[in-house]
Amino acid sequence: MSDELDEHRLYLSDRHRLDAFEQGIAAGVRPGDVVVDLGCGTGILGLLACRAGAARVYAIDSGGMAEVAESVAAANGFDDRITVIRGSSLDVSLPEPADVVVADQIGGFGFEAGIFEYFADARRRFLKPDGRMIPHSVALFVAPVEAPAIHQEVLFWNSRPAGFDMSPAQSIASNSGYPRHLDAGSLLAPGSLGATRRLADDQTSFGFAIDTRVHRGGVVHGIAGWFTAALAGSVTMTNAPDAARRIQRRPEFFPLPCALPVEPGQTIRIEMQIRPHDLIVKWIVSCGGARFEHCTFKGMLFSRQVLHRTRPEFVPRLSDRGRARKLVLDLAERETTVGEIEHALFESHRQLFADQTDAGRFVAEVITRYAE
């Protein structure tokens, strides 16, 4: 089975997620509405919109799931109301403005799957002035957690596998976020609301600071971050570890570099700065005399060579593969057939390709990404 298809099987098997969207769409979509489904996958949200009375649904997806969505719409008798549009929602256009935008581009901590970027763009280009979004806001929660097994994963790089020193990687690991399953028993304090962000607003950067009181003694191994999304009316969806109807999406675990023992009643201060589009989270944890500061920017794997090429004073020159890609794009501008492009590319850049079939794969990668 395709990994991508199996991922959507898990989405559809998540009863609490499906129930929340069914109720939210029923509350937020009115008969006759035009609905846009961003990153439609199987098209389930569009189907629910049709059930709620939508007149037309534009289901957008850039991957192979678009074919599945189109077939599923036809199998359920909605192919006259659902139009599948292939491409990224950031690149495509629609034939008419929409009343509702719906999507499930929500990460474990609310923002990692790009919902702020996609919704901000959809609001500007797709939505009527009085249009609605499902979800319309996302609340981010945090809590200190006791999670020794996850903490051991983070500290693996200090364990000298096969007797070798791997500790240079430890700083990267300690400055990374980890999507992990957590239950109510891991919480050392109740979840605290860090921030609530409206999806109709551009979200370039935001932060918060909260003080939380430990409700049981234990050891803090890190901070858990999760979300509650407001869909429509009173309908919400959450992956909170202690929620009875939590969806299966994993919260994010932000580690501490060492275990921090705490007693009941102790106060822990959690500060976070978040840049959603860049997937950068800075977390500072203070308790007693201890203070830990981490940032996912330090956990990103950057090549020095690549960073050098981004400097303003760098003068770029196309590589052989860059020139090959430029040739494909130039020929496409001249209304050349794919077969002719493959032949011209192979003849011009034989050193890059084993045969014309290999050149054809290169052409396909470029054409499918940039051509209409």
Side-chain angles (χ1 to χ4, degrees), residues 335-347:
E335 299 186 358
T336 314
T337 68
V338 170
E340 291 169 336
I341 294 174
E342 291 175 357
H343 179 73
L345 178 68
F346 183 60
E347 289 300 315

Side-chain angles (χ1 to χ4, degrees), residues 248-259:
Q248 294 173 9
R249 201 150 303 163
R250 296 173 294 179
E252 200 77 7
F253 174 82
F254 299 98
L256 298 187
C258 59

Side-chain angles (χ1 to χ4, degrees), residues 24-179:
I25 289 172
V29 174
R30 302 165 187 165
D33 274 350
V34 175
V35 176
V36 179
D37 179 6
L38 307 180
C40 69
T42 60
I44 182 63
L45 302 187
L47 295 175
L48 292 173
C50 286
R51 181 184 288 174
R56 288 176 298 285
V57 173
Y58 296 102
I60 304 172
D61 202 289
S62 60
M65 288 302 297
E67 305 297 326
V68 176
E70 199 164 59
S71 299
V72 168
N76 287 275
F78 290 122
D79 49 329
D80 59 333
R81 292 160 65 184
I82 296 178
T83 300
V84 176
I85 298 176
R86 292 159 176 80
S88 167
S89 66
L90 301 175
D91 298 329
V92 304
S93 57
L94 299 182
E96 60 182 320
D99 300 286
V100 180
V101 171
V102 62
D104 186 18
Q105 302 293 318
I106 309 176
F109 196 21
F111 64 87
E112 306 96 304
I115 192 166
F116 290 150
E117 181 180 9
Y118 294 128
F119 267 42
D121 177 74
R123 175 184 56 79
R124 288 191 297 268
R125 300 194 301 115
F126 298 157
L127 204 58
K128 294 177 181 178
D130 60 347
R132 304 172 302 282
M133 292 181 163
I134 303 175
H136 60 78
S137 65
V138 176
L140 279 59
F141 291 82
V142 292
V145 291
E146 188 169 42
I150 303 174
H151 201 237
Q152 280 302 112
E153 294 178 21
V154 178
L155 298 181
F156 164 82
W157 300 99
N158 285 331
S159 67
R160 297 187 63 86
F164 293 104
D165 182 3
M166 297 290 177
S167 61
Q170 187 58 58
S171 176
I172 297 172
S174 297
N175 285 281
S176 300
Y178 297 83

Side-chain angles (χ1 to χ4, degrees), residues 236-310:
T236 62
M237 181 177 73
T238 185
N239 63 338
D242 57 349
R245 296 179 60 81
R246 68 179 181 270
I247 67 170
Q248 294 173 9
R249 201 150 303 163
R250 296 173 294 179
E252 200 77 7
F253 174 82
F254 299 98
L256 298 187
C258 59
L260 176 66
V262 290
E263 299 292 336
Q266 237 178 317
T267 297
I268 298 176
R269 185 169 183 81
I270 302 170
E271 303 170 66
M272 281 195 169
Q273 289 291 326
I274 299 171
R275 293 178 59 88
H277 296 351
D278 301 317
L279 296 179
I280 293 176
V281 180
K282 179 180 181 181
W283 64 101
I284 302 172
V285 179
S286 307
C287 182
R291 185 179 187 274
F292 306 102
E293 181 175 328
H294 296 270
C295 182
T296 55
F297 182 78
K298 297 178 182 177
M300 295 179 178
L301 294 172
F302 294 118
S303 160
R304 292 181 184 177
Q305 188 178 40
V306 170
L307 286 176
H308 175 72
R309 292 171 186 163
T310 65

